[in-house]
Amino acid sequence: MYNYLIVGAGLFGATFANLVKAAGKSVLVIDKRNHIAGNCYTENVEGINVHKYGAHIFHTSNKNVWNYVNSFVAFNRYTNSPIAKFKDKLYNLPFNMNTFNQLWGVQTPAEAMAKIEEQRHQANITEPKNLEEQARALVGGDIYEALIKEYTEKQWGRKCAELPASIIKRLPVRFTFDNNYFNDLYQGIPCGGYTALVEKMLEGIEVRLNTDFITSRNDLKSVADKIIYTGPIDEFFNHLFGKLEYRSLRFETETLDIPNYQGNAVVNYIDSKYPFTRIIEHKHFEFGSQPKTVITREYPDSWALGKERFYTVNDERNSNLYTKYKALAEQQSKYVFGGRLAEYKYYDMDDVIESAMNLAKKELANG
Ligand code: FAD
Ligand code: UDP
């Protein structure tokens, strides 16, 4: 008998397990996959840490979270600065003075602002109702057409006019020559990869892999006083109200016998003629100097039961459905639902850790 059974060895489960274990609780962590670390899992190939479920860059403004992750492993100085390729030309991201110079030849913030203002004025949008309108209102038609439209429509499999504006709101627009994709105070990649980080978090904790809670529920539900569930919430309730939708991804990874393929960790392929959205060259996350390189092409994919769940689709149907599951979850006194799948939420890693820290604090305060 354990105090806690934690379903899922991703960052939510690992953080919660680590904190309650340090406070003297007994814990068992299970995961249905054959590895720990959830979606930020990295696997060593040719000495390079390969991000198996897509590129993961740790960034946060939360000092507590930053100190917490740094207490397990050191983080390097990686700063995400993706390159976008459109019609065989390269542009810097996020949208900043370098991008404006590459697009229009403008050299000063005043010139760039005037250019964007002119296009915003032409678009004449006061209250953006969808992603296309949001983009046109934010950065004008040129940037929308060159760097947003085709990428976004590939990524989501829908027209920009049919997508929520919220998707694009987190992209920074800057009138400085600053290619840092994030605005956060702290950023980096754990030295040795994310698996090393989660391994440290789970040190001294019993972990059972290849163990699916849903299929072994009858045996597992009585092994602990309380269960922290980080799997899909609809699956927990046998899809009682229907399936929550996701957007999936497919990855094609190859090892190349050259030291440097694209000179950057992330290159976005905007044109619709490419079926993938980006190529990741993993060694550049850790400034690797290995003789070979590993690259991954990331293809957006529709989701069906059995495929990996990557992005939540937070439209009205799914939001209503989630509200129903959430109400049911709140009635389960033995269970707590947390993390990106159980809360059906686009969660960055730092937010997931913060949320698990808060839960651990609450649980420990209750004895
Ligand atoms: P997960 O990591 O998904 O862990 C949940 C675990 O539960 C999984 O290991 C799963 O196997 C297990 N599980 C599920 N069901 C069961 C079951 N029935 N029985 C047993 N185990 C089960 N965030 C950032 O901060 N920066 C980034 O750059 C970034 N990039 C991303 C890129 C992509 C393509 C995606 C999709 C996400 C990205 N994220 C990024 C978000 C990040 O992946 C999440 O914040 C984080 O992984 C969530 O952790 P979690 O523990 O909630 O979920
Ligand atoms: N996006 C875009 N062009 C790009 C990169 C991103 O239009 O070159 C849009 C796209 O709609 C995407 C959103 O911005 O879904 C968020 O992209 P980001 O790379 O920040 O998120 P991720 O896919 O890594 O979660």
Side-chain angles (χ1 to χ4, degrees), residues 7-13 30-33 35-40 53-59 182 194 211-215 229-232 235 249 251 278 298 309-311 338-341 346-350 352:
V7 180
L11 278 178
F12 193 97
I30 61 166
D31 203 295
K32 67 178 178 187
R33 291 176 176 166
H35 61 75
I36 59 164
N39 271 13
C40 64
Y53 300 89
H56 278 70
I57 299 107
F58 199 94
H59 56 96
F182 301 113
Y194 289 91
T211 306
D212 188 333
F213 180 76
I214 299 299
T215 52
Y229 179 83
T230 75
E235 203 165 84
L249 296 172
F251 300 106
R278 45 193 174 191
E298 187 175 313
R309 298 167 166 90
F310 283 101
Y311 297 99
R340 67 173 192 106
L341 297 164
Y346 189 97
Y347 247 144
D348 273 329
M349 291 182 280
D350 59 326
V352 162

Side-chain angles (χ1 to χ4, degrees), residues 229-249:
Y229 179 83
T230 75
I233 190 166
D234 53 348
E235 203 165 84
F236 182 91
F237 294 109
N238 299 319
H239 306 112
L240 177 69
F241 303 125
K243 290 190 199 83
L244 286 164
E245 279 173 291
Y246 284 83
R247 186 78 178 142
S248 198
L249 296 172

Side-chain angles (χ1 to χ4, degrees), residues 95-359:
F95 311 126
N96 74 86
M97 283 304 297
N98 289 306
T99 332
F100 307 143
N101 173 260
Q102 290 148 353
L103 261 172
W104 302 310
V106 294
Q107 296 190 352
T108 65
E111 287 168 351
M113 279 180 205
K115 197 87 187 157
I116 290 181
E117 200 41 56
E118 179 193 313
Q119 299 193 7
R120 277 184 185 146
H121 188 73
Q122 277 168 6
N124 192 23
I125 294 158
T126 43
E127 272 180 45
K129 287 186 290 299
N130 56 52
L131 194 149
E132 174 172 351
E133 291 187 2
Q134 174 69 38
R136 287 186 186 278
L138 194 70
V139 286
D142 282 0
I143 294 183
Y144 169 69
E145 300 286 344
L147 297 172
I148 297 175
K149 185 177 187 296
E150 292 179 41
Y151 184 98
T152 300
E153 293 184 349
K154 270 198 287 195
Q155 169 77 353
W156 296 98
R158 285 195 218 167
K159 295 274 172 224
C160 287
E162 294 161 14
L163 285 165
S166 56
I167 293 176
I168 209 85
K169 274 190 187 147
R170 52 203 203 99
L171 291 186
V173 180
R174 292 198 197 105
F175 293 93
T176 51
F177 291 90
D178 178 0
N179 297 327
N180 184 348
Y181 203 62
F182 301 113
N183 287 322
D184 280 321
L185 267 179
Y186 312 105
Q187 183 171 177
I189 302 284
C191 300
Y194 289 91
T195 307
L197 166 70
V198 179
E199 247 163 32
K200 284 270 186 187
M201 295 171 91
L202 292 174
E203 222 166 58
I205 291 172
E206 188 181 344
V207 179
R208 288 188 207 157
L209 298 176
N210 303 305
T211 306
D212 188 333
F213 180 76
I214 299 299
T215 52
S216 312
R217 193 190 311 232
N218 285 340
D219 300 330
L220 287 167
K221 68 180 183 207
S222 49
V223 305
D225 303 325
K226 204 146 189 190
I227 299 175
I228 310 298
Y229 179 83
T230 75
I233 190 166
D234 53 348
E235 203 165 84
F236 182 91
F237 294 109
N238 299 319
H239 306 112
L240 177 69
F241 303 125
K243 290 190 199 83
L244 286 164
E245 279 173 291
Y246 284 83
R247 186 78 178 142
S248 198
L249 296 172
R250 191 168 58 77
F251 300 106
E252 260 177 34
T253 298
E254 47 175 326
T255 302
L256 305 176
D257 211 358
I258 52 168
N260 191 358
Y261 174 72
Q262 61 186 18
N264 205 40
V266 184
V267 177
N268 290 358
Y269 282 70
I270 308 289
D271 308 70
S272 53
K273 70 175 179 185
Y274 299 106
F276 47 88
T277 47
R278 45 193 174 191
I279 300 185
I280 307 301
E281 188 169 13
H282 302 269
K283 70 191 309 178
H284 297 310
F285 286 123
E286 297 184 63
F287 312 102
S289 55
Q290 298 84 354
K292 293 188 183 179
T293 195
V294 180
I295 61 163
T296 300
R297 291 186 184 80
E298 187 175 313
Y299 296 81
D301 197 6
S302 57
W303 179 81
L305 209 57
K307 287 191 195 174
E308 286 292 347
R309 298 167 166 90
F310 283 101
Y311 297 99
T312 54
V313 181
N314 294 92
D315 59 12
E316 212 180 314
R317 175 199 172 264
N318 290 299
S319 302
N320 290 339
L321 202 52
Y322 171 66
T323 307
K324 285 167 118 181
Y325 282 119
K326 185 167 180 263
L328 208 53
E330 280 163 0
Q331 293 166 24
Q332 318 291 314
S333 56
K334 189 171 175 155
Y335 293 86
V336 182
F337 295 74
R340 67 173 192 106
L341 297 164
E343 295 179 69
Y344 194 66
K345 189 169 172 179
Y346 189 97
Y347 247 144
D348 273 329
M349 291 182 280
D350 59 326
D351 296 327
V352 162
I353 291 173
E354 185 184 355
S355 166
M357 282 174 148
N358 290 338
L359 177 64

